[in-house]
Amino acid sequence: MANTYNVTEFIFLGLSPNWEVQRVCFVIFLLLYVAIVLGNSLIVLTVMTSRSLGSPMYFFLSYLSFVEICYSSTTAPKLISDLLAERKTISWWGCMTQLFFMHFFGGIEMFVLTVMAYDRYVAICKPLNYTTIMNQQVCMVLVVMAWVRGFVHSFSQILLIFQLPFCGPNVIDHYFCDVLPVIQLACSDTLLIGLLIVANGGTLSVISFVVLLVSYVVILLHLRTRSSEGRRKALSTCGSHITVVVLFFAPCVFIYLRPSTTLPVDKMVAVFYTVVTPLLNPVIYSLRNAEVKKAMKRLWTRTMKLDEK
């Protein structure tokens, strides 16, 4: 690989050039990030300590929450610290590291959401075989596959960028390193690279999104044969899943299905899938799931009793 990397650091323009706006955003995003970490950690802790949440659905839910913490942590801490900095910089290798882990955990989340849809399909459409199909060994294999998929997706993105020379412009009109804003700074034609990135990221998002929607349509059609109570409980669970899927995939499709172009609205859309969605996931799953709420209350009660002792 030729050493044509004269650029050693990148400069972010951030969310806003207005200093007062940045100070307000600092407080808002700091609170949001703390809420993301605490909310998702609470779900992980609740599932790990509750015997009533031992089914594969809750195992994957806790895993999704863990991935959400990692995913938001690739961008949020840097965003928050930069909001108080006059010069928002990141080294070239720091940029590549941020980009890699963002797509790594994003790829894992896509696969976990797909697995959760499959889990609901088996539970609702093949209830008698559920424990056999979704046994502990299968769940662990699916988790490993999620990590492998995330790595392959992210490594291929990084490999494409490594082929590009960066010899001049180093100002990124964003608040974190992402593939499209970065490749626009390259000193060579990026048309082919941009198309490959769309094929890797955008197409993957669309295919996963369509597969998930089709899966839930099949599930909803199958629910017509259930009793009203069974239908209500299944709809409540699937409704939570569908909401999270739409919140995550719709912005991703909007960003990554376009060839190498960026729009002014991209930063606001990015805030949605890097901060807002990880924040809403624990709220959606806990408020719409009676078992999770009961387990959280039991965990809180046990914690209070330990404090009294």
Side-chain angles (χ1 to χ4, degrees):
M1 191 185 308
N3 185 14
T4 56
Y5 304 112
N6 297 330
V7 173
T8 59
E9 68 175 12
F10 294 103
I11 301 173
F12 295 133
L13 294 184
L15 291 176
S16 172
N18 187 294
W19 180 243
E20 293 300 323
V21 173
Q22 291 186 54
R23 292 171 64 181
V24 173
C25 287
F26 170 79
V27 176
I28 293 174
F29 284 104
L30 178 61
L31 294 175
L32 290 177
Y33 180 61
V34 171
I36 289 169
V37 174
L38 293 180
N40 284 286
S41 297
L42 178 60
I43 286 184
V44 174
L45 183 62
T46 301
V47 173
M48 289 178 61
T49 58
S50 177
R51 294 181 180 178
S52 63
L53 303 181
S55 69
M57 180 181 75
Y58 297 112
F59 169 75
F60 291 122
L61 173 59
S62 66
Y63 198 78
L64 175 66
S65 295
F66 170 73
V67 172
E68 290 284 28
I69 295 173
C70 298
Y71 181 65
S72 62
S73 296
T74 61
T75 58
K78 176 63 175 170
L79 165 63
I80 293 167
S81 63
D82 280 348
L83 287 170
L84 295 181
E86 291 186 13
R87 193 167 183 267
K88 305 167 179 52
T89 62
I90 187 171
S91 67
W92 192 89
W93 283 108
C95 181
M96 295 300 106
T97 301
Q98 184 183 59
L99 197 153
F100 174 83
F101 281 106
M102 180 187 171
H103 284 270
F104 175 58
F105 290 115
I108 293 175
E109 183 167 352
M110 284 186 187
F111 191 85
V112 171
L113 289 172
T114 305
V115 169
M116 292 176 74
Y118 176 69
D119 172 75
R120 289 301 83 204
Y121 167 78
V122 176
I124 293 172
C125 300
K126 301 179 183 293
L128 297 179
N129 299 323
Y130 179 67
T131 55
T132 302
I133 297 174
M134 298 300 295
N135 57 59
Q136 186 175 9
Q137 185 178 5
V138 170
C139 291
M140 294 308 300
V141 169
L142 291 172
V143 167
V144 172
M145 288 175 63
W147 282 82
V148 171
R149 174 175 169 173
F151 178 82
V152 171
H153 165 67
S154 186
F155 183 75
S156 61
Q157 298 281 65
I158 287 290
L159 196 61
L160 291 172
I161 294 179
F162 271 14
Q163 310 302 315
L164 298 173
F166 295 89
C167 51
N170 68 336
V171 178
I172 299 177
D173 187 13
H174 217 304
Y175 64 89
F176 66 91
C177 287
D178 203 0
V179 284
L180 296 182
V182 170
I183 66 172
Q184 288 186 338
L185 302 179
C187 303
S188 63
D189 182 28
T190 60
L191 177 61
L192 179 59
I193 298 294
L195 292 175
L196 291 174
I197 287 173
V198 168
N200 180 30
T203 306
L204 179 63
S205 299
V206 171
I207 292 175
S208 300
F209 189 38
V210 170
V211 169
L212 283 164
L213 290 182
V214 170
S215 300
Y216 284 117
V217 168
V218 172
I219 291 172
L220 294 175
L221 290 175
H222 191 272
L223 287 176
R224 293 183 302 178
T225 61
R226 291 291 189 90
S227 64
S228 59
E229 178 64 20
R231 188 162 55 245
R232 185 190 63 80
K233 296 175 83 171
L235 283 173
S236 177
T237 302
C238 291
S240 300
H241 291 193
I242 294 171
T243 302
V244 171
V245 165
V246 173
L247 289 175
F248 179 76
F249 278 98
C252 290
V253 171
F254 176 79
I255 293 290
Y256 297 111
L257 197 60
R258 306 193 311 261
S260 307
T261 57
T262 56
L263 301 174
V265 74
D266 286 354
K267 283 190 279 190
M268 292 300 102
V269 175
V271 166
F272 195 84
Y273 67 79
T274 59
V275 178
V276 177
T277 301
L279 174 67
L280 291 179
N281 281 359
V283 176
I284 292 170
Y285 281 116
S286 60
L287 292 181
R288 293 182 62 90
N289 192 297
E291 289 297 322
V292 173
K293 287 190 288 187
K294 290 179 182 177
M296 285 183 175
K297 290 179 181 178
R298 288 194 294 267
L299 177 61
W300 176 258
T301 302
R302 290 199 302 267
T303 304
M304 290 297 99
K305 288 181 179 179
L306 289 176
D307 289 340
E308 291 174 0
K309 293 181 180 180

